[in-house]
Amino acid sequence: MCRNRKVTEFNTGWLYSPHDDAAARLPLFDDGAFERVTLPHANKVLEKHKGDDFKEQIESYRFVSWYRRHFTIPEEYRGMRVMVGFQGVATVAEVYVNGVRAGVHKGAYTGFSFDITDSIRFGNADNVIAVKVDSSRQEEIPPEGGDVDYCLFGGIIRGVTLTIADSVYIEDSFFTTPGLAAGDSRVNCSAMLQNTTGAAEEVAVRLSVRDAEGNEVAASESIRVTVPAGGKIKLEAGTPAIECPYLWSVDSPYLYTAKLLLLKQEEVIDTVETKIGLRWFAFTERGFYLNGEKLKLRGVNRHEQWPWQGRAVPGKLQIRDADMMKETGLNAVRCSHYPQAPEFLSRCDEIGLIVFEEAPGWQHIGGEAWQEIYKTNVKEMILRDRNHPSIVTWGVRVNESRDNHDFVTASAAIAKELDPSRPTHGVRQGDDYERSEKIEDLYTVNYRYPEIPRFTPYLITEHSGDWGGDGYPWSKEDAAARFTRSFGEALDYYYGNEFCAGGFAWSMFDYNNEVNYMHTGHVFYSGLYDLWRLDKPASYLYRSQKSPDDEIVLYIAGYWTEESPLEVEIYSNCDEVELFINGSSQGRRKPALYTNIPHPAFLFEGLVFEPGELEAVGYIADREVARTIRRTPEAPDRIAVTPDYDSLLADGADMTCVTVELLDKNGTRLPYSDNEVEISVSGPGEFIGESPVALEGGRIGFLVKGKPHQAGSILCTVTADGIKAGSCKIDSSDYEEGDL
């Protein structure tokens, strides 16, 4: 028998009921009426994506539901430990195995694991795991208890794993490179070993590091320890220096693999492999330094949610969000205001996005019980995520909360104990800038732009955003320009201020919120992209900050209609831009707006409107490198339907967003259209969205999910009165379920 650990994705084969029945915890409970689902799973798919009555949608997922799964554990694993791990359950999870309660977890944003060995029947016997999920309002659990500027949603909204490990196993491991700044490339590991037997166990531990090609580049000697009976022991291991190490950076995010082996009598009984990045960084009075080089943090805030589905989406959509940030020219992201999905963070490691992560909360600090759960969430966040090289600081103050000295001090102390290698931060409201004390290592404030900050290191954790309707996807050009200007002015400030390490725009995507303080149908239109990840002009100001070596960007920020302002902004990383109206040159210009940023914007004023074509030509080193055209929109002609992914796995969880656009005969989108369209999905696909639905700025999105074990072609068709219909096909392929 192999005693090494086995980790299995435990996401398929679940049964779900939206009804609260205490008997569902029992193994012989009749679950024949339960729905078969795959995780991640939303306890309620919403019917609408916005509206003044959207409060009803928010309340619709506030109930208790049950999930059950039948499984077997082969006889060969008897004597080993069986553990079930949940990455996220909204909000209280009560877990039973064969009718025995394994444990309770409180909090919608952090993961947890329970050892369920003593309740397991090995061999061919049927085991049942049952999870009571309480998604009702939880006044004593962060972030709730006051208003919340986002939606929590409900269900088992992230993945689940089943781990089978030896009775002596590696419980936790933390890899660091403390001497890297001084040129010492040794990798250190602090590990916790667990012995679940009734006798002391002698074991050996070996640490090795492999490069991206799989070659071992450093390894420690074996370290022999005795793990006490029924107890734990912490050990420290370290490798020799790695010769000529590759450093992790935003431009070259090189990852090594650290491998920790646990051996007993020369037999490997446990293995943990972790992706690590070798980098060192420092926040100083005059900014942020990565591997000794100054880097201005050009960041954005990200909420983890999608329309209708909430937070319960497959990992590939989490990955796509990270990729979009990188493609948009960002080098940092703030996880507002809670720990986010492991797939998202791992992708940040892989593509080189700096991460600010923080514990769940929004302005409100509750009583003693609430605060204890918050501190537990801080611990869970750090223990889960501290091996990610992308993460550079822990948020240990409730977002935008007033000073609470003892509470924040205790939270910061937890972070320092678990991870002394990273600083802490705490986000303040702008009006607290002058009076808030500095307990955390970084002084981070929203919407304040001082010439010389009160404290350093200093960052702006939120700036810009839609505070007056300018960020609507259907905004007129002058409003869209004001919206973009709010980002440009903030960028210009922190690039021009040597004391500010950078800033985080509010926000990457539009999102649903509970408080509706802007009275915009419970959607905050603050995003560089809308709810469906469709671009707004402001996104191109950021995209144009990329090096031309990565992508040449040339974007005309306007639609060239009769209502267009007679000045045009162009976002580009070219040296010069020439603008033409129907072939007539309006001059060749150098950039003039936001001159502190790496690639300032271009402005053409005093134009005379003529329907037809605006053409921009970009030059670098006096050589033409790019052209782009804007055409005056004409009468609506046809509908374009485009999926983000043209293939799905038929597992009941995999999904894609599909974009609907109303185009004229030239292929130009009608940017102010609110035509109503009808959407139909046929074949082995599930439609998630609204139909009929009005377009927003000439386009809209919907989701399509593959049905379990139903392979084939999914046809999506969109129609509207008097307009050529559009359609697309998505392939759905079957899959094999795991062996548990």
Side-chain angles (χ1 to χ4, degrees), residues 535-554:
D535 61 306
K536 299 180 191 177
S539 68
Y540 289 91
L541 178 61
Y542 281 88
R543 193 175 190 116
S544 67
Q545 302 314 300
K546 298 165 70 172
S547 167
D549 294 336
D550 296 330
E551 178 190 6
I552 295 174
V553 179
L554 184 62

Side-chain angles (χ1 to χ4, degrees), residues 300-301 447 449 462-472 479-480 482-488 490 504-511 518 524-528 536 538 542:
V300 72
N301 286 266
Y447 307 102
Y449 315 96
E462 293 178 23
H463 68 75
S464 309
D466 175 29
W467 299 101
D470 292 342
Y472 293 146
R482 285 195 302 269
F483 184 63
T484 302
R485 196 173 304 126
S486 73
F487 297 97
F504 293 84
W506 191 264
S507 58
M508 183 66 181
F509 307 112
D510 294 346
Y511 63 98
M518 296 303 297
F524 196 8
Y525 293 100
S526 58
L528 300 174
K536 299 180 191 177
Y542 281 88

Side-chain angles (χ1 to χ4, degrees), residues 355-425:
V355 175
F356 277 45
E357 190 168 40
E358 52 199 47
W362 193 76
Q363 297 187 353
H364 170 77
I365 297 176
E368 183 177 347
W370 191 102
Q371 293 180 30
E372 287 304 312
I373 294 172
Y374 179 88
K375 287 185 280 188
T376 297
N377 290 166
V378 169
K379 179 179 180 181
E380 291 168 333
M381 170 182 71
I382 294 172
L383 288 178
R384 187 194 75 168
D385 293 336
R386 58 186 176 174
N387 285 315
H388 287 286
S390 57
I391 296 176
V392 297
T393 174
W394 304 116
V396 295
R397 172 193 292 252
V398 172
N399 173 66
E400 294 188 333
S401 61
R402 304 298 185 191
D403 281 1
N404 187 319
H405 179 87
D406 292 345
F407 175 46
V408 177
T409 299
S411 176
I414 292 170
K416 289 298 184 183
E417 178 183 358
L418 296 174
D419 180 12
S421 72
R422 289 180 176 90
T424 58
H425 73 276

Side-chain angles (χ1 to χ4, degrees), residues 271-315:
T271 304
V272 171
E273 291 191 0
T274 305
K275 295 289 186 183
I276 63 171
L278 276 59
R279 85 286 185 266
W280 61 277
F281 63 89
F283 288 93
T284 75
E285 178 188 29
R286 296 181 183 273
F288 175 73
Y289 290 79
L290 180 62
N291 302 326
E293 296 183 4
K294 191 168 186 177
L295 176 69
K296 193 69 77 170
L297 294 178
R298 187 170 65 242
V300 72
N301 286 266
R302 184 239 189 186
H303 268 307
E304 181 184 88
Q305 61 165 258
W306 285 258
W308 308 295
Q309 192 72 19
R311 297 166 55 212
V313 300

Side-chain angles (χ1 to χ4, degrees), residues 187 206-219 239 242 246 254-261 273-276 278:
V187 176
R206 182 178 181 270
L207 170 64
S208 67
V209 178
R210 296 183 180 273
D211 64 18
E213 287 71 44
N215 304 305
E216 187 176 274
V217 293
T239 70
I242 297 173
Y246 294 101
Y254 192 92
L255 294 175
Y256 290 88
T257 299
K259 187 174 184 178
L260 196 62
L261 295 176
E273 291 191 0
T274 305
K275 295 289 186 183
I276 63 171
L278 276 59

Side-chain angles (χ1 to χ4, degrees), residues 8 33 125 141 158 193 232 255 292 295 323 386 407 540 544 547 565 583 590 620 625 647 690 732 737:
T8 302
I141 301 176
R158 292 180 184 156
L193 307 184
K232 303 178 182 182
L255 294 175
L295 176 69
D323 287 346
R386 58 186 176 174
F407 175 46
Y540 289 91
S544 67
S547 167
K590 293 184 180 297
I620 295 178
V625 293
S647 63
E690 296 159 67
S732 181
E737 295 195 22

